[in-house]
Every structure is written in C-alpha cells, then in structure tokens.
Amino acid sequence: MVFVSLSPWRLSFSQRHFNKQVPARNFLRQLKRPQILPSASGGDSGLRVFVISDLHTDYSENMRWVKSLSPKRHKKDVLIVAGDVAETFNNFILTVSLLKDRFQHVLFVPGNHDLWCRYEGDDFLDSLEKLNKLLDACRGLGVETNPVVIDGVGIIPLFSWYHESFDREKDIPGIRVTSLETACKDFQACKWPEDLSNRDTSLTLYFDALNETKLDVIKEIQRTCSRIISFSHFVPRQELCPEKRMLFYQKLPKIIGSDSLEVRIRSIHGVEGGASACHVFGHTHFCWDAVLDGIRYVQAPLAYPRERNRRMNGGESWLPFCIYSDGKYADKLSPCYWSDYYAANARAPHNTRLAPWVARFYKQM
C-alpha cells in the first residue's frame, strides 16, 4: 500500500480552520503527558479491554441491548467505542451514561451518525457544534476522548473522516449505481460550515488535523507503553472492506475511509507494525480481524437489528469483544466472515464480475 504524506499547506489549512471553528479549550485538552488512569484491574486480575462499534441506539432493540449489559461484570474493565453511538443527542447521552455505569473506563471517538443534525430536538448550528457538545458531554461523564495509559497499555483515539479518493480499485462497469449524494445520508444529515464539504478533501483534512494537538502525548505513549491500541470510526485501508463485486452498493468504498488515517496509524505503530500493534475501527458493519503489514485491524460492530437478524453483520451475544486480557491480545475474533474469506482467498480487485448474490440484485433493477 502507498502511504500518502500530507503537505504543509494541507495541514496548515486544516489547523487554521480548526482554530477558527472550534476553540481548543472546548474541544481537546492539549496535554504534554498522557493521562494515567487508575488501574482497571483492581489488583485482582489482569487488565481487560473490550471493543465495540456502531451501537446505533436510536434503534430500540440496540438500546435494550446496552441496557441488558451486566452492571457488575465489567466494573474493572475498559471499553473502546469506535463511533456511531446514536443520531440524537439524548440517545447519545443515555447510551454513554449506561456504558460508563457498567465499565470503569470508556473511551470514544465520533462517527458520522453521531454528527447528524436532522431532528428537530437536536438544535445545533452545524455538525461541528454538535461534535463540540458531544465531547463536552463526554468530559462531564468521565468518558475519554484523548490518549490515555491504563496499566501500561496506551489507548489512542484518532479522529477521522472519509473521502472518495480513498477508493482506488476498479469500478464495476455496465451497471447503474445510485449516486453517493443520494445513497449516503451524510450529505443531507450533516451540516458543515461553507468551507467544509463531503465533496472534497476538506473534511478529511480537518478531522485529521485534530490529532495534531495530541502528538506530544502520543510520543510519550510510544516511549513508555509495551502495548498500544489505536482506534477510529472510519476505515484506514481499502483491504478492510470486501471487493466491489461482493457489495450490493459498489460505491461503498468511496465513503468509508481516508489515506491520512492510515498514515496516522503507521506514525504510531510503525511502518512495519509489530506484535504490540492493534487498531480498532468501525463504520462498515463488517466483523473483521486481520493482520496487514504487521498491524492487527479489528472491527466488532453491534450493527443494525435487521443485519443481526439476517446473520449478515454485527453481533449481539458475543459483544463487546475482549481484545486484550491478562497481558496479551486475545485470540482472533471468530467467526468473522469476510476477513476469514480473505485469509483463504487473495483479493482480486481487477475482477469486475459481480458475485451471484449481487448480480441477481441488479437484474431486478
């Protein structure tokens, strides 16, 4: 994979916009050293770190699932939430409050659904104001959005967004596909200032620049921690999504990630990765557990109720997934349909013949 470095102009543009739109004191605490949180093990057993993404608790079934989590089982545990908690502010607050009541430490990074502004009850000027409110609420609830160290394990949230330039694999020819603007609700549900848009790289650059304020903290974590878990909502590599011929919506890879996110991850874990390197992500609702160029990439989504009912994606009985326990990373998440498939079959993006289940869908159009 080619790693694209960001030009000084790009970073300076994003940082100027960051300083103008969201005052740092209201957004990210600029720390020189990582916050050392109290031990999550309580001295009785080793640290356990659980992961989950795409809770979507605006669905009543998903909110019931959160409420059903044991109020005692995870009192000494850490939970990483890789975005898309809820669309409405009230459901977001209720969800993270429930999670914080159940886990000693909860860490969060925002997803696209968290920033939607399409409901009358959510009175926000734009999605940046909502982001600010969400992060303020997290601080008030004791939910971390900055890098921390717990029992010697560094955990680093990475802010990100997506752009269609992320997709460099061949498109499927000869079929009619709905436009991104029509298929992806972000284009209508998110509200941005005039100089930020899903139609260019400005959002990707803006969110990536938010990570710049944490560089000193990250360097200290790199120096002192033998295990580092980074996490984002969006996808850092196209190989972490099925090929287009396998997808019902072939333009999905254009709205899932960015190259700058993988650059950030490699700056933390190293170009070659290593046994201590793990990155958790979300967004696509595909369960995933794979090692690429020395870094373990994991997605453990709750996903939509209809997806779980069809046994397509997401989980329920096995979530949240324990990624770290007793001083080591957990065994591979299994079953994990798509990453299991690619562990046994080489990726072939040059093959543009639709999979049978997808071809049948398009014949009906």
Side-chain angles (χ1 to χ4, degrees), residues 281-315:
F281 65 101
H283 190 51
T284 60
H285 296 195
F286 295 117
C287 301
W288 212 281
D289 195 342
V291 176
L292 297 174
D293 295 334
I295 296 178
R296 183 178 180 182
Y297 296 88
V298 175
Q299 181 175 189
L302 181 62
Y304 298 136
R306 64 179 179 272
E307 292 172 327
R308 298 196 304 277
N309 291 339
R310 296 172 186 171
R311 298 183 180 180
M312 293 169 58
N313 311 315

Tab-separated table of all heavy atoms in Angstrom, residues 281-315:
chain	number	residue	atom	x	y	z
A	281	PHE	N	-11.537	-0.308	14.444
A	281	PHE	CA	-12.295	0.631	13.613
A	281	PHE	C	-13.755	0.196	13.550
A	281	PHE	O	-14.162	-0.783	14.187
A	281	PHE	CB	-11.686	0.719	12.203
A	281	PHE	CG	-11.757	-0.561	11.406
A	281	PHE	CD1	-12.723	-0.738	10.432
A	281	PHE	CD2	-10.855	-1.596	11.627
A	281	PHE	CE1	-12.805	-1.909	9.696
A	281	PHE	CE2	-10.921	-2.777	10.893
A	281	PHE	CZ	-11.903	-2.934	9.920
A	282	GLY	N	-14.567	0.926	12.789
A	282	GLY	CA	-15.989	0.625	12.678
A	282	GLY	C	-16.522	0.990	11.319
A	282	GLY	O	-15.863	0.826	10.301
A	283	HIS	N	-17.765	1.474	11.275
A	283	HIS	CA	-18.397	2.125	10.139
A	283	HIS	C	-19.047	1.186	9.122
A	283	HIS	O	-20.191	1.406	8.730
A	283	HIS	CB	-17.392	3.040	9.430
A	283	HIS	CG	-18.000	3.935	8.402
A	283	HIS	ND1	-19.090	4.734	8.659
A	283	HIS	CD2	-17.669	4.159	7.099
A	283	HIS	CE1	-19.400	5.426	7.562
A	283	HIS	NE2	-18.566	5.085	6.607
A	284	THR	N	-18.367	0.153	8.651
A	284	THR	CA	-18.923	-0.664	7.572
A	284	THR	C	-19.842	-1.773	8.069
A	284	THR	O	-20.534	-2.403	7.275
A	284	THR	CB	-17.810	-1.305	6.730
A	284	THR	OG1	-16.999	-2.128	7.565
A	284	THR	CG2	-16.957	-0.239	6.056
A	285	HIS	N	-19.826	-2.047	9.371
A	285	HIS	CA	-20.647	-3.096	9.989
A	285	HIS	C	-20.214	-4.507	9.590
A	285	HIS	O	-20.957	-5.458	9.829
A	285	HIS	CB	-22.131	-2.920	9.654
A	285	HIS	CG	-22.745	-1.671	10.196
A	285	HIS	ND1	-24.112	-1.484	10.271
A	285	HIS	CD2	-22.190	-0.538	10.701
A	285	HIS	CE1	-24.369	-0.292	10.775
A	285	HIS	NE2	-23.205	0.301	11.046
A	286	PHE	N	-19.032	-4.657	9.012
A	286	PHE	CA	-18.499	-5.984	8.734
A	286	PHE	C	-17.581	-6.403	9.877
A	286	PHE	O	-16.597	-5.709	10.163
A	286	PHE	CB	-17.690	-5.998	7.428
A	286	PHE	CG	-18.502	-5.729	6.194
A	286	PHE	CD1	-18.240	-4.609	5.418
A	286	PHE	CD2	-19.515	-6.589	5.811
A	286	PHE	CE1	-18.976	-4.363	4.265
A	286	PHE	CE2	-20.259	-6.345	4.661
A	286	PHE	CZ	-19.985	-5.226	3.886
A	287	CYS	N	-17.868	-7.516	10.527
A	287	CYS	CA	-16.920	-8.036	11.511
A	287	CYS	C	-15.599	-8.307	10.799
A	287	CYS	O	-15.582	-8.836	9.683
A	287	CYS	CB	-17.445	-9.333	12.128
A	287	CYS	SG	-19.030	-9.168	12.953
A	288	TRP	N	-14.497	-7.931	11.451
A	288	TRP	CA	-13.201	-8.054	10.767
A	288	TRP	C	-12.109	-8.289	11.795
A	288	TRP	O	-12.116	-7.691	12.874
A	288	TRP	CB	-12.901	-6.778	9.981
A	288	TRP	CG	-12.115	-7.029	8.731
A	288	TRP	CD1	-10.767	-7.248	8.633
A	288	TRP	CD2	-12.636	-7.094	7.403
A	288	TRP	NE1	-10.419	-7.445	7.318
A	288	TRP	CE2	-11.555	-7.357	6.540
A	288	TRP	CE3	-13.910	-6.955	6.864
A	288	TRP	CZ2	-11.699	-7.480	5.158
A	288	TRP	CZ3	-14.066	-7.090	5.483
A	288	TRP	CH2	-12.973	-7.344	4.651
A	289	ASP	N	-11.175	-9.142	11.461
A	289	ASP	CA	-9.992	-9.369	12.295
A	289	ASP	C	-8.893	-9.887	11.400
A	289	ASP	O	-8.900	-11.047	10.979
A	289	ASP	CB	-10.295	-10.368	13.417
A	289	ASP	CG	-9.219	-10.365	14.515
A	289	ASP	OD1	-8.108	-9.867	14.255
A	289	ASP	OD2	-9.508	-10.861	15.620
A	290	ALA	N	-7.956	-9.005	11.058
A	290	ALA	CA	-6.896	-9.369	10.116
A	290	ALA	C	-5.627	-8.609	10.444
A	290	ALA	O	-5.669	-7.515	11.014
A	290	ALA	CB	-7.331	-9.058	8.682
A	291	VAL	N	-4.497	-9.182	10.082
A	291	VAL	CA	-3.199	-8.529	10.223
A	291	VAL	C	-2.716	-8.124	8.841
A	291	VAL	O	-2.595	-8.954	7.940
A	291	VAL	CB	-2.171	-9.461	10.896
A	291	VAL	CG1	-0.798	-8.784	10.945
A	291	VAL	CG2	-2.624	-9.838	12.302
A	292	LEU	N	-2.448	-6.821	8.671
A	292	LEU	CA	-1.938	-6.291	7.420
A	292	LEU	C	-0.669	-5.498	7.698
A	292	LEU	O	-0.685	-4.563	8.499
A	292	LEU	CB	-2.976	-5.393	6.748
A	292	LEU	CG	-4.295	-6.053	6.328
A	292	LEU	CD1	-5.266	-4.996	5.804
A	292	LEU	CD2	-4.059	-7.116	5.275
A	293	ASP	N	0.419	-5.902	7.069
A	293	ASP	CA	1.698	-5.214	7.246
A	293	ASP	C	2.021	-5.009	8.722
A	293	ASP	O	2.445	-3.925	9.150
A	293	ASP	CB	1.701	-3.873	6.514
A	293	ASP	CG	1.601	-4.047	5.006
A	293	ASP	OD1	2.022	-5.119	4.506
A	293	ASP	OD2	1.104	-3.140	4.324
A	294	GLY	N	1.794	-6.051	9.511
A	294	GLY	CA	2.240	-6.052	10.898
A	294	GLY	C	1.301	-5.435	11.915
A	294	GLY	O	1.612	-5.428	13.103
A	295	ILE	N	0.153	-4.918	11.488
A	295	ILE	CA	-0.805	-4.332	12.422
A	295	ILE	C	-2.093	-5.153	12.394
A	295	ILE	O	-2.599	-5.504	11.319
A	295	ILE	CB	-1.114	-2.864	12.086
A	295	ILE	CG1	0.143	-2.004	12.245
A	295	ILE	CG2	-2.232	-2.318	12.983
A	295	ILE	CD1	-0.054	-0.537	11.896
A	296	ARG	N	-2.614	-5.453	13.570
A	296	ARG	CA	-3.887	-6.156	13.663
A	296	ARG	C	-5.029	-5.146	13.593
A	296	ARG	O	-5.066	-4.183	14.367
A	296	ARG	CB	-3.970	-6.934	14.976
A	296	ARG	CG	-5.245	-7.763	15.120
A	296	ARG	CD	-5.229	-8.538	16.419
A	296	ARG	NE	-6.447	-9.341	16.578
A	296	ARG	CZ	-6.708	-10.098	17.646
A	296	ARG	NH1	-5.831	-10.157	18.647
A	296	ARG	NH2	-7.829	-10.797	17.711
A	297	TYR	N	-5.957	-5.354	12.664
A	297	TYR	CA	-7.111	-4.479	12.467
A	297	TYR	C	-8.380	-5.247	12.850
A	297	TYR	O	-8.631	-6.344	12.334
A	297	TYR	CB	-7.206	-4.023	11.017
A	297	TYR	CG	-6.054	-3.167	10.549
A	297	TYR	CD1	-4.901	-3.745	10.021
A	297	TYR	CD2	-6.118	-1.771	10.625
A	297	TYR	CE1	-3.838	-2.959	9.582
A	297	TYR	CE2	-5.068	-0.979	10.189
A	297	TYR	CZ	-3.932	-1.587	9.668
A	297	TYR	OH	-2.885	-0.803	9.239
A	298	VAL	N	-9.186	-4.649	13.739
A	298	VAL	CA	-10.359	-5.337	14.276
A	298	VAL	C	-11.590	-4.449	14.183
A	298	VAL	O	-11.542	-3.259	14.531
A	298	VAL	CB	-10.135	-5.745	15.751
A	298	VAL	CG1	-11.403	-6.360	16.335
A	298	VAL	CG2	-8.966	-6.711	15.872
A	299	GLN	N	-12.688	-5.021	13.708
A	299	GLN	CA	-13.990	-4.351	13.771
A	299	GLN	C	-14.986	-5.307	14.431
A	299	GLN	O	-15.134	-6.451	14.000
A	299	GLN	CB	-14.518	-3.951	12.387
A	299	GLN	CG	-15.853	-3.227	12.482
A	299	GLN	CD	-16.376	-2.693	11.157
A	299	GLN	OE1	-17.357	-1.942	11.137
A	299	GLN	NE2	-15.754	-3.045	10.038
A	300	ALA	N	-15.664	-4.813	15.476
A	300	ALA	CA	-16.636	-5.612	16.221
A	300	ALA	C	-17.914	-4.799	16.386
A	300	ALA	O	-18.160	-4.204	17.434
A	300	ALA	CB	-16.074	-6.021	17.575
A	301	PRO	N	-18.761	-4.745	15.351
A	301	PRO	CA	-19.940	-3.869	15.376
A	301	PRO	C	-21.173	-4.538	15.970
A	301	PRO	O	-21.407	-5.727	15.788
A	301	PRO	CB	-20.165	-3.583	13.890
A	301	PRO	CG	-19.734	-4.868	13.225
A	301	PRO	CD	-18.584	-5.402	14.056
A	302	LEU	N	-21.988	-3.734	16.663
A	302	LEU	CA	-23.314	-4.215	17.020
A	302	LEU	C	-24.202	-4.205	15.777
A	302	LEU	O	-24.958	-5.128	15.530
A	302	LEU	CB	-23.923	-3.345	18.122
A	302	LEU	CG	-25.309	-3.764	18.619
A	302	LEU	CD1	-25.270	-5.157	19.233
A	302	LEU	CD2	-25.856	-2.757	19.633
A	303	ALA	N	-24.094	-3.142	14.971
A	303	ALA	CA	-24.779	-3.003	13.681
A	303	ALA	C	-26.286	-2.845	13.856
A	303	ALA	O	-26.792	-2.693	14.972
A	303	ALA	CB	-24.434	-4.175	12.755
A	304	TYR	N	-27.014	-2.866	12.733
A	304	TYR	CA	-28.459	-2.680	12.765
A	304	TYR	C	-29.167	-3.984	13.136
A	304	TYR	O	-28.687	-5.070	12.808
A	304	TYR	CB	-28.964	-2.212	11.403
A	304	TYR	CG	-28.422	-0.889	10.941
A	304	TYR	CD1	-27.995	-0.716	9.628
A	304	TYR	CD2	-28.350	0.195	11.811
A	304	TYR	CE1	-27.504	0.501	9.188
A	304	TYR	CE2	-27.863	1.420	11.379
A	304	TYR	CZ	-27.441	1.567	10.069
A	304	TYR	OH	-26.955	2.772	9.635
A	305	PRO	N	-30.317	-3.882	13.770
A	305	PRO	CA	-31.061	-5.102	14.118
A	305	PRO	C	-31.346	-5.995	12.916
A	305	PRO	O	-31.234	-7.217	13.005
A	305	PRO	CB	-32.362	-4.555	14.724
A	305	PRO	CG	-31.996	-3.205	15.259
A	305	PRO	CD	-30.985	-2.661	14.297
A	306	ARG	N	-31.681	-5.405	11.775
A	306	ARG	CA	-32.008	-6.216	10.601
A	306	ARG	C	-30.784	-6.994	10.103
A	306	ARG	O	-30.923	-8.091	9.567
A	306	ARG	CB	-32.567	-5.345	9.480
A	306	ARG	CG	-31.598	-4.316	8.908
A	306	ARG	CD	-32.242	-3.518	7.773
A	306	ARG	NE	-31.351	-2.520	7.219
A	306	ARG	CZ	-31.233	-1.286	7.667
A	306	ARG	NH1	-31.979	-0.892	8.696
A	306	ARG	NH2	-30.405	-0.437	7.090
A	307	GLU	N	-29.602	-6.414	10.286
A	307	GLU	CA	-28.385	-7.119	9.877
A	307	GLU	C	-28.120	-8.314	10.787
A	307	GLU	O	-27.728	-9.387	10.325
A	307	GLU	CB	-27.200	-6.154	9.888
A	307	GLU	CG	-27.295	-5.086	8.823
A	307	GLU	CD	-26.234	-4.013	8.958
A	307	GLU	OE1	-25.844	-3.703	10.101
A	307	GLU	OE2	-25.797	-3.481	7.925
A	308	ARG	N	-28.334	-8.123	12.078
A	308	ARG	CA	-28.147	-9.239	13.006
A	308	ARG	C	-29.187	-10.327	12.767
A	308	ARG	O	-28.877	-11.521	12.825
A	308	ARG	CB	-28.219	-8.749	14.449
A	308	ARG	CG	-27.140	-7.748	14.817
A	308	ARG	CD	-27.015	-7.598	16.318
A	308	ARG	NE	-28.258	-7.219	16.961
A	308	ARG	CZ	-28.719	-5.969	17.060
A	308	ARG	NH1	-28.022	-4.970	16.517
A	308	ARG	NH2	-29.850	-5.705	17.685
A	309	ASN	N	-30.419	-9.920	12.481
A	309	ASN	CA	-31.475	-10.899	12.247
A	309	ASN	C	-31.194	-11.755	11.024
A	309	ASN	O	-31.556	-12.936	10.974
A	309	ASN	CB	-32.824	-10.193	12.084
A	309	ASN	CG	-33.309	-9.565	13.376
A	309	ASN	OD1	-32.877	-9.954	14.458
A	309	ASN	ND2	-34.201	-8.583	13.269
A	310	ARG	N	-30.552	-11.158	10.019
A	310	ARG	CA	-30.212	-11.903	8.805
A	310	ARG	C	-28.858	-12.600	8.924
A	310	ARG	O	-28.391	-13.212	7.974
A	310	ARG	CB	-30.174	-10.951	7.607
A	310	ARG	CG	-31.523	-10.317	7.283
A	310	ARG	CD	-31.359	-9.248	6.227
A	310	ARG	NE	-32.600	-8.524	5.976
A	310	ARG	CZ	-32.687	-7.435	5.219
A	310	ARG	NH1	-31.599	-6.947	4.642
A	310	ARG	NH2	-33.835	-6.842	5.041
A	311	ARG	N	-28.241	-12.463	10.092
A	311	ARG	CA	-26.908	-13.026	10.333
A	311	ARG	C	-25.902	-12.526	9.293
A	311	ARG	O	-25.000	-13.247	8.879
A	311	ARG	CB	-26.965	-14.560	10.323
A	311	ARG	CG	-27.863	-15.118	11.417
A	311	ARG	CD	-27.841	-16.616	11.435
A	311	ARG	NE	-28.701	-17.134	12.501
A	311	ARG	CZ	-28.882	-18.422	12.757
A	311	ARG	NH1	-28.265	-19.334	12.035
A	311	ARG	NH2	-29.675	-18.810	13.734
A	312	MET	N	-26.092	-11.279	8.878
A	312	MET	CA	-25.213	-10.689	7.879
A	312	MET	C	-23.942	-10.137	8.529
A	312	MET	O	-22.838	-10.549	8.221
A	312	MET	CB	-25.926	-9.557	7.140
A	312	MET	CG	-27.081	-9.991	6.264
A	312	MET	SD	-28.042	-8.573	5.701
A	312	MET	CE	-26.803	-7.587	4.859
A	313	ASN	N	-24.133	-9.174	9.403
A	313	ASN	CA	-23.012	-8.481	10.035
A	313	ASN	C	-23.346	-8.272	11.502
A	313	ASN	O	-24.458	-8.505	11.952
A	313	ASN	CB	-22.768	-7.112	9.383
A	313	ASN	CG	-22.704	-7.195	7.875
A	313	ASN	OD1	-22.053	-8.071	7.335
A	313	ASN	ND2	-23.403	-6.293	7.197
A	314	GLY	N	-22.389	-7.763	12.236
A	314	GLY	CA	-22.655	-7.385	13.613
A	314	GLY	C	-22.807	-8.565	14.543
A	314	GLY	O	-22.780	-9.726	14.147
A	315	GLY	N	-22.935	-8.223	15.823
A	315	GLY	CA	-23.034	-9.271	16.830
A	315	GLY	C	-23.975	-8.855	17.933
A	315	GLY	O	-24.487	-7.751	17.957
